[in-house]
Amino acid sequence: MHVVDLQDAKKSFGKTEVLKGISLEVDKGDVLAIIGPSGGGKSTLLRCLTMLETLDGGRLAYGDLVVAENGPDGHATYAPKKVLAEAKTRYGLVFQNFNLFPHYTVLKNVIDPLICVQKMPREAAETRGRGLLEKMGLTGKEHMVPCELSGGQQQRVAIARALAMNPDVLYFDEPTSALDPELTREVLRVIRELALEHMTMVIVTHEMSFARDVADKLIFMDGGTVVERGRATDVINDPQHERTRLFLANYQQH
Ligand SMILES: Nc1ncnc2c1ncn2[C@@H]1O[C@H](COP(=O)(O)OP(=O)(O)OP(=O)(O)O)[C@@H](O)[C@H]1O
Ligand SMILES: [Mg+2]
């Protein structure tokens, strides 16, 4: 059974068809990179996978939990709330802009969902939170508020918060695009470490060499479709489609 199983995902905003039938499967331990030009639908895809947007058509399952599937009318029909709530515990999402609560301390940002959603006792949550912050290289920052940290540190807090819930899969939407190169390196390093620990991850990124080194699978998306998919090293080193070649060639000039 796949950790994430998405079939024929369709999504439009008004008359604009943004996802034109995307399928992807993620298995335990996979690191899947999604690359492609701006406006190609990558964020919309992640937002549909994480139920921040609803699919118009297609099927989405997390392990044995079917979140949505096409009904008789051909439109995606979502499972009852209880199923959706359980599916939501199976993934975490890290955005480009960190999305921390500005008035919470670092530690509270990490453990608040554990206490409020998972009902973990405070002491156990704090122990877990401190451990994750240590892993992210943030020991000593527990009682600061986000604005006292660098962007790279804030992003590592966001990663710790996502990991706190012990998700089956972690999604990243351009986790470093708001950061300068130095801070980007720190964040990529922790994602690399998670990959070495076989954390299952789906990463939308513009960092091509990172995608090649860290991901095992890769999808190139353009215009709401998957143009090319394969092993990350194969697609980046030797793209088979003209559109992939052009995209990668433009990249190497920057
Ligand atoms: N809420 C929305 N309402 C209307 N149109 C939207 C909405 N969200 C996204 N779109 C449109 O969907 C298309 C795909 O956007 P999306 O953000 O998914 O692309 P992307 O691949 O993530 O791009 P980028 O690399 O710039 O982040 C764009 O044309 C965008 O304008
Ligand atoms: Mg995007």
Side-chain angles (χ1 to χ4, degrees), residues 3-99:
V3 173
V4 186
D5 190 354
L6 179 73
Q7 299 302 323
D8 202 23
K10 294 188 173 135
K11 176 73 183 172
S12 299
F13 292 108
K15 291 209 170 81
T16 318
E17 209 180 352
V18 176
L19 302 179
K20 300 177 182 169
I22 304 269
S23 299
L24 60 84
E25 297 95 32
V26 181
D27 292 312
K28 198 167 161 39
D30 277 354
V31 179
L32 168 68
I34 301 176
I35 62 169
S38 187
K42 305 180 297 299
S43 294
T44 305
L45 175 62
L46 287 199
R47 291 177 62 81
C48 287
L49 284 164
T50 53
M51 296 185 232
L52 296 171
E53 296 283 0
T54 50
L55 289 165
D56 299 334
R59 181 180 187 278
L60 171 62
Y62 282 92
D64 57 348
L65 288 181
V66 178
V67 167
E69 59 189 335
N70 282 331
D73 61 354
H75 287 103
T77 308
Y78 278 76
K81 269 198 181 122
K82 199 159 164 270
V83 176
L84 302 187
E86 184 168 356
K88 282 178 188 168
T89 67
R90 298 193 177 182
Y91 57 77
L93 173 61
V94 176
F95 297 91
Q96 177 178 347
N97 293 319
F98 328 136
N99 281 62

Side-chain angles (χ1 to χ4, degrees), residues 97-209:
N97 293 319
F98 328 136
N99 281 62
L100 298 173
F101 293 106
H103 54 288
Y104 283 8
T105 64
V106 163
L107 185 61
K108 189 166 161 67
N109 263 288
V110 174
I111 67 175
D112 202 56
L114 281 180
I115 294 171
C116 296
V117 183
Q118 282 196 356
K119 311 290 177 205
M120 189 185 269
R122 174 169 297 275
E123 211 168 309
E126 284 194 1
T127 304
R128 184 165 169 74
R130 287 178 197 280
L132 285 165
L133 288 169
E134 183 185 352
K135 190 178 157 117
M136 295 294 127
L138 293 169
T139 297
K141 313 271 187 231
E142 293 85 350
H143 300 292
M144 294 185 167
V145 285
C147 70
E148 295 176 298
L149 303 182
S150 74
Q153 289 168 337
Q154 290 185 47
Q155 191 59 304
R156 286 181 282 144
V157 175
I159 296 171
R161 183 175 61 178
L163 286 170
M165 303 294 277
N166 203 18
D168 295 339
V169 56
L170 207 48
Y171 294 105
F172 293 88
D173 193 355
E174 299 192 31
T176 62
S177 60
L179 302 175
D180 66 35
E182 179 92 3
L183 301 181
T184 293
R185 263 198 298 281
E186 317 177 332
V187 170
L188 295 185
R189 194 185 64 232
V190 305
I191 299 175
R192 224 180 271 271
E193 279 165 15
L194 293 174
L196 291 174
E197 294 168 14
H198 307 290
M199 181 75 208
T200 310
M201 295 186 281
V202 177
I203 310 170
V204 172
T205 184
H206 287 294
E207 303 279 340
M208 294 307 141
S209 56

